[in-house]
Amino acid sequence: MAEAPAIEVSGLKKFYGNFLALDQVSFTVPRGQILGYLGPNGAGKSTTVNILVGLLARSSGAVSFDGRTYQREDFAMRRRIGYVPETGGFYESLSGYEFLQMVGRLYHLEENEVERKARGFLELFELERSMHQRLATYSKGMRQKVLISAALLHNPDLIFMDEPLTGLDAHTALLLKELIRQMAREGKTVFYCSHVLDVVERLCDRVIILDHGRIVADGNLEELRRSIPQSGTTTLEEIFKRLTSEEDSGSRVEQFTALMR
Amino acid sequence: MRTFQALVGKIINKMLGPIVSGLARLGVDDRQYRILLVTSLRVDFRGSAQVLSLPRRETSPLGTALAIYALYSLMLSFLAFVLPAELYARIILVFGMAILGMVMLIDFGVTLVVPGDIGIVGWRPVSSRTYFAARLTNALFYIVIFSLALHLIPSLFGMFSKGSSVAFPIVFLPSALLGSLFTAGVVAASYAALLQLFRQERFRDVVNYFQIALMILFVVASQLFPRLEGSILRGRMGEAAGGTAWSWWDAVPPRWFAAPVEMLLDGPSARTLLLSVAAVLSTVALFVALVRTLSLSYLERIGEAGIPSAKPVERRSRPRWLGPLLRCFFRSPEERALFDFVRKLLARDRQVRLRLYPTLTFVLLPALPLLLERNGGSPGSPFGGDSAFSVFLPLFTLGMLPAVLLAYLPFSGESQGEWIFELTGFEKPSRVAAAIKKCLVLYFFLPLALAMVAFFAFFWGLANAAGIVLFALLCGLLLLEMLFMLFFRGVPFTRPMASGRSAAGLGYVLVAFPVIGLFVGLAHFFLKTPGQLLLAVLILLPVVFLLHRLSNARYSPHAGPSAEDAPVRLFS
């Protein structure tokens, strides 16, 4: 019998009042795959992730992990999820160490394990000198390192990342990309939401492009190239532009500079 | 210091023990509950520390609030020397329960609905019940310490009231604490029920109306019940003051919590015994019901409440004549920008709406029972024998207004936008000060003054009503200028609201009563004729104008250096 996909989404719809944010979104992600989830601003990427991790209720459709329908109160399943949110997601008055300590305890990790992991993550991210400072004093990149640590501390196997490279320096970004590849090799599934097309192109095994709440492309880079016949497009950026952009960006740049004067 | 903190931590842990085991029986995850509770308290305490570090002179909002409530309770405690012990206990309980209900509404009720938490715990394996229990305990922690600040001194003074006993504090204090928890539980249950009934944008609107309605109830109760208890005591209501006789008034919760004191003073009776049991059982049942039923799907509902509305902001077209008028009133672009900013946040910011507007009812309502009580609905004659009473009504409302407005003006849920003012700076800070005050005058003082002129014109004629209200308006503006000059720094709505801040604001309003009393006293002695009123107005007018210029010149739009870099110490 074939193995159930790690993530299966079918007919997902989400309304905010009368506004349809997601329209019949369906896809499956096999175990160990890194899926790039792309789309312009307001396409519905974060809404999808928020529904998948259980932060938002769906209007209709179904979500299952490893063939098991996901319910909000399914705590065994929740323990398997790791999530790096795009913004916020921590208490600014706590120190980096205290925040990770709190997260570890929420997952019922043993005290010595909480300490070992919290210290370990912060040291590996080179935050050992500021681990007892308030998060409010951290730079954007330092906060991002804490958020990534808080998502991975409990060793999840379904990892959702919304713009995880935001604010990270080049070295840490390289480290994180390698870490993501390693996690995938170990059989963890990574759902990677981003605007940074070249990173997605190099990192992800497969790409889904969302526009106005609907999936407009789904496949690996080669399949996406083939889906646009006689276009001569070679990069993900060109494919993305062809599928989602309506205007020539050159003329808009001119309009911007005129407006600034 | 660390040893002391460890000791405090141990005491809290010890106290939490029985609560945690009780909650675990209701399906709460004990370890997660402890973590969430300790984290929320840490965040509150350190949040307060950050707020206090902005303007250097300011002290902790929580400490200030507790000191103010203790002071207020001291003023109430002197009733012990004029009232019999039973009536004293009931009156203190009514005031205490009403004030703590207000505190829970405007300050700690908001801690029950924190959409920002959803991004942190909403996707982790934490049940709604566990999260709700931790949030509720957080709010109750503050209610208990506020209740102690409000009831400790009166409980000691109670020993000296007529017919009292040395055991009065031992019975009164636990009863008062239980009553406070009951009131907080009622507010929490109402929030939880509203969350179940209404979704998203509708919930936010309904909560606002609900808070104002409940605030009215608490204000009216705090004014009405002590008067009724007094009437009952004097035999006007044809009912016994206590003892064994049943009364319809026994259905009112403060009576249940006063019953143990009655039992102490008069000996046990079926009535006092049953009322005491009702007090204990109703409180326990309320909290069990809260955790067992209303907490379900709480996290999900809060998550939905945090979703911003996709509806475009309503834009009302401004009448054509208003534009030139506003340009005349707010002459520079800086003034107009600040005016628009203050105006929009007053209308839209959720924290401002949830905290400022309910407290305004506290300014508008207390004068009404007095009006009904004294002259059967008539405000008396402005220049007759009861001139102080006539002047009191407009003076109380317009005089208390600046205390409320300035107590809440610095804080909002939009404080993260503060950087824009730091970045742009202000060429002329005095214009910013002028714009802030003009906005308050335009939106609060003038409409209220006009409404009062229309109301009092029925009783006194238009000229007298306009004169008295103008005098009250000038007194209000005088207080506004003084408070603005002495206490107000920084741009409005640019500082985060720490726990205890709203309660402190309400406390300032409570202790502002004596200042209003001073003005009323002066009016009683020096406002006997229309000529004297005219003279008072002519004196006040230049004084207000001079203070306005002076406070504008002294105003600093920068609140002070931030001390976020301070090492973590509190609750470590």
Side-chain angles (χ1 to χ4, degrees), chain A residues 16 53 55-57 72 75 78-79 81-83 89-91 93-94 98-99 102-103 105-109 111 132-134 136-137 150, chain B residues 29 31-32 35-36 39 42-43 46-47 50 117-128 299-300 304 307 310 564-568:
Chain A
Y16 292 113
V53 300
L55 283 177
L56 264 183
R72 220 200 151 273
F75 295 127
R78 278 180 172 235
R79 288 198 175 88
I81 292 174
Y83 173 44
F90 50 78
Y91 297 113
S93 349
L94 298 188
E98 284 171 341
F99 183 71
M102 179 200 84
V103 168
R105 286 169 177 170
L106 286 179
Y107 284 96
H108 289 268
L109 299 184
E111 275 307 305
H132 296 299
Q133 293 282 334
R134 287 165 214 270
T137 65
Chain B
D29 182 313
R31 193 168 176 211
Q32 290 181 337
I35 300 306
L36 290 170
T39 302
R42 266 186 180 153
V43 169
R46 289 184 189 159
Q50 278 177 26
D117 273 6
I118 300 308
I120 304 169
V121 293
W123 59 275
R124 299 190 194 274
V126 176
S127 72
S128 278
L299 263 172
E300 203 177 323
E304 286 178 2
I307 299 169
E564 281 180 342
D565 293 336
V568 168

Side-chain angles (χ1 to χ4, degrees), chain B residues 504-517:
Chain B
L506 184 66
Y508 286 128
V509 176
L510 289 172
V511 293
F513 281 131
V515 182
I516 304 300

Side-chain angles (χ1 to χ4, degrees), chain B residues 79 82-91 162 225-243 249 255 266:
Chain B
L79 288 173
V82 291
L83 295 177
E86 280 169 23
L87 182 60
Y88 171 77
R90 283 183 193 174
I91 287 179
K162 196 174 143 195
F225 285 126
R227 286 179 170 82
L228 285 172
E229 295 286 8
S231 299
I232 291 167
L233 184 86
R234 290 189 293 269
R236 284 189 205 161
M237 307 289 288
E239 288 178 23
W249 291 107
R255 282 273 184 113
D266 300 337

